[in-house]
Amino acid sequence: MTPAKPTHAMPPLGAHMSIAGGMERAVARALAAGATALQIFVKNASRWRDRPLRPGEAEAFRAAVAAASLPPVVAHASYLINLASPSPVLANQSREALLDEIERADALGVAGIVLHPGAHMGAGDEAGLALIAGRLDEVFETSAQSEVQIYLENTAGQGTTLGHRFEHLAAIIALSAHPRRLGVCLDTCHTFAAGYPLLDTAEVMATLAEFDKIVGLDRLRVIHANDSKMPAGSRRDRHEHIGQGCIGEAPFAALLRDRRLRKIPFILETPKGDDGIELDLLNLATLRRLASG
């Protein structure tokens, strides 16, 4: 399948791409899928620490991004990181891991890192949110020379995870001494699974209005475009191909055509095929169709 050329009227559309074989390979994969935006891991996401970037790897990645004329690339933090943990050991590992990711993002020219806020593990929402804000401040103060932002991602609300209410994201930002380094990533599957209305244009507009009132659309840096295998309010995070889940196509069309979101990258985290690209091609084609009307 050959990628269709995007129109100028739609936002940047991309997907999370593998960095296997070298960071710059992710850019080639994005182009092969017809993407105009890109999300990556800056290291092996299943390890606390990973190999250093190879000599010339950061430069090759930056050159590939520039040649592809991609907008600022987004990274996703390791799922191991839990800044809300009541365990001092895990908290320290999480801080160090996030600092390592910021250092890598700086080298690669990555603008921001999407981060799941964390799980309080029984300590309660208020305590967990305070821990997240305080530990983020420690990270920001240690990396004071960096311009890399952290994009707090809303969550589905499984277990004790924080971030499934817009108020959680607003609280972390309000508690932080360094709010300029905080943005937000809005995930459609997570929003829907957390119980926010998202089934038609009216519901999308209502949910965006609530987000704007509580967090502020000016904080929005990226949208994760994912349909949901699970029904509204399930609080279960199960991604599905665009239009094939419980959300359906109409809400994505409403988001993609909203002029306020025109410059916000929409990033797929939908299931991958064996080659890692073919299903991205199909999902990106669906997003382009819905954006263009």
Side-chain angles (χ1 to χ4, degrees):
M1 181 177 179
T2 302
K5 291 184 178 180
T7 70
H8 295 292
M10 60 185 64
L13 304 177
H16 186 103
M17 291 295 177
S18 169
I19 58 173
M23 303 296 303
E24 69 278 9
R25 295 289 298 278
V27 179
R29 292 180 178 107
L31 294 177
T36 55
L38 172 64
Q39 179 177 281
I40 59 170
F41 291 125
V42 295
K43 56 178 279 295
N44 187 318
S46 63
R47 298 177 184 172
W48 286 109
R49 303 287 292 188
D50 198 13
R51 64 165 178 83
L53 293 171
R54 299 185 184 95
E57 189 173 8
E59 291 79 7
F61 179 80
R62 284 174 173 264
V65 169
S69 299
L70 292 174
V73 175
V74 177
H76 198 300
S78 167
Y79 299 115
L80 298 174
I81 294 173
N82 182 9
L83 295 180
S85 174
S87 163
V89 173
L90 182 54
N92 186 61
Q93 285 180 302
S94 297
R95 279 193 300 264
E96 292 302 312
L98 188 54
L99 280 166
D100 179 48
E101 297 209 12
I102 289 173
E103 183 177 342
R104 289 168 182 267
D106 263 326
L108 295 163
V110 170
I113 302 172
V114 175
L115 175 71
H116 293 186
H120 63 69
M121 309 299 288
D125 290 4
E126 187 174 350
L129 293 169
L131 286 174
I132 294 167
R135 288 162 179 168
L136 279 170
D137 282 347
E138 292 169 4
V139 167
F140 292 147
E141 286 154 17
T142 303
S143 62
Q145 301 306 310
S146 175
E147 292 298 318
V148 173
Q149 290 193 340
I150 298 299
Y151 303 156
L152 300 168
E153 181 175 0
N154 69 314
T155 63
Q158 293 184 184
T160 65
T161 56
L162 295 164
H164 58 279
R165 304 305 303 168
F166 295 156
E167 288 83 359
H168 291 177
L169 306 178
I172 295 168
I173 294 167
L175 289 167
S176 174
H178 305 280
R180 72 173 187 85
R181 288 188 65 183
L182 289 170
V184 171
C185 169
L186 191 65
D187 185 297
T188 54
C189 172
H190 299 174
T191 303
F192 183 74
Y196 288 96
L198 209 65
L199 285 177
D200 55 34
T201 299
E203 290 190 351
V204 168
M205 293 302 108
T207 293
L208 283 179
E210 185 169 358
F211 177 88
D212 192 28
K213 178 181 178 181
I214 296 170
V215 178
L217 282 170
D218 59 319
R219 289 277 178 188
L220 186 60
R221 301 290 183 269
V222 60
I223 290 174
H224 281 169
N226 302 304
D227 211 321
S228 176
K229 289 181 181 291
M230 309 304 295
S234 65
R235 294 183 67 163
R236 295 182 65 188
D237 181 11
R238 299 291 185 273
H239 296 186
E240 182 57 282
H241 300 294
I242 304 299
Q244 296 183 24
C246 295
I247 297 176
E249 290 190 351
F252 291 100
L255 289 167
L256 289 160
R257 298 175 196 174
D258 192 314
R259 293 186 177 277
R260 297 171 298 174
L261 309 180
R262 189 59 53 82
K263 295 183 179 180
I264 303 297
F266 282 65
I267 302 290
L268 294 167
E269 292 179 325
T270 44
K272 299 278 191 179
D274 291 337
D275 67 354
I277 292 177
E278 186 65 25
L279 293 178
D280 286 334
L281 271 166
L282 294 172
N283 281 297
L284 286 169
T286 300
L287 291 180
R288 280 192 292 270
R289 172 172 58 80
L290 294 174
S292 62

